[in-house]
Amino acid sequence: MIKKNLLQSASDAQKPLGLAYLVGRLDHVLNKRLRDSLAPTGLTVTQYTALSVFRKLGSLSNAQLAERTMISPQSANEMVKAMEAKGWIERKPDPSHGRIIQISLTGEGQAILQECDAKVREVEQLMFPDLLDEERAQLHAQLRAAVRALSLEGI
């Protein structure tokens, strides 16, 4: 047992421990957990993100959606087509600009989003099982501040 612990300690000592590395690893494992959790609903992580953005911001153009979901405009367009076919979103011409199409959440989109919110909360609870509500709020604020600090203008 002691030999095993020493080998594990030596192995752990060789792993990168910087914050950037840990955030990257967290992103990787979190994305996998979310994919696995959302898969039974037929929703991808990017679609969940998009629907969440629509809920928060209302209607958006395809370009705005691409920016907010961190995917290319072409990928956003394909995602929009798939979500529209499932009835989760609807597209309407922008009343102030004829060439812009505004995309918004439908009732079906709201329903699938609520179902998925519970699944995402379960993953978050697994990730931070011992955080009190106040600590969770502090962590949320710190992560938002980190995103703001590293964001490039226009992203």
Side-chain angles (χ1 to χ4, degrees), residues 30-68:
L30 177 59
N31 208 325
K32 174 152 182 24
R33 287 287 184 137
L34 290 174
R35 271 194 322 267
D36 294 346
S37 180
L38 296 174
T41 68
L43 212 67
T44 67
V45 175
T46 305
Q47 288 170 333
Y48 174 78
T49 301
L51 295 178
S52 298
V53 168
F54 287 129
R55 176 176 53 199
K56 176 83 172 155
L57 300 177
S59 65
L60 298 168
S61 70
N62 190 67
Q64 292 167 321
L65 176 64
E67 182 179 311
R68 289 294 184 150

Side-chain angles (χ1 to χ4, degrees), residues 3 9 34 61 66 68 91-92 111-112 146 148-149:
K3 187 175 181 179
S9 294
L34 290 174
S61 70
R68 289 294 184 150
R91 296 192 279 183
K92 295 180 181 174
I112 192 77
R148 274 193 310 275

Side-chain angles (χ1 to χ4, degrees), residues 65-85:
L65 176 64
E67 182 179 311
R68 289 294 184 150
T69 56
M70 299 166 281
I71 60 175
S72 71
Q74 296 82 4
S75 295
N77 192 43
E78 292 303 312
M79 179 177 61
V80 164
K81 288 177 187 175
M83 291 192 306
E84 185 178 36

Side-chain angles (χ1 to χ4, degrees), residues 71-147:
I71 60 175
S72 71
Q74 296 82 4
S75 295
N77 192 43
E78 292 303 312
M79 179 177 61
V80 164
K81 288 177 187 175
M83 291 192 306
E84 185 178 36
K86 292 182 180 189
W88 298 336
I89 59 169
E90 61 186 1
R91 296 192 279 183
K92 295 180 181 174
D94 186 304
S96 63
H97 193 290
R99 293 181 57 202
I100 296 177
I101 302 294
Q102 290 293 312
I103 309 161
S104 57
L105 203 53
T106 64
E108 285 182 57
Q110 286 275 13
I112 192 77
L113 189 54
Q114 286 177 341
E115 180 184 339
C116 291
D117 284 343
K119 293 177 180 299
V120 170
R121 274 192 299 278
E122 288 174 14
V123 172
E124 289 176 350
Q125 188 60 35
L126 263 174
M127 188 169 42
F128 298 110
D130 299 326
L131 281 187
L132 302 173
D133 288 343
E134 182 179 315
E135 294 168 322
R136 190 174 297 275
Q138 280 182 321
L139 176 59
H140 190 267
Q142 289 172 336
L143 292 173
R144 287 185 64 85
V147 169

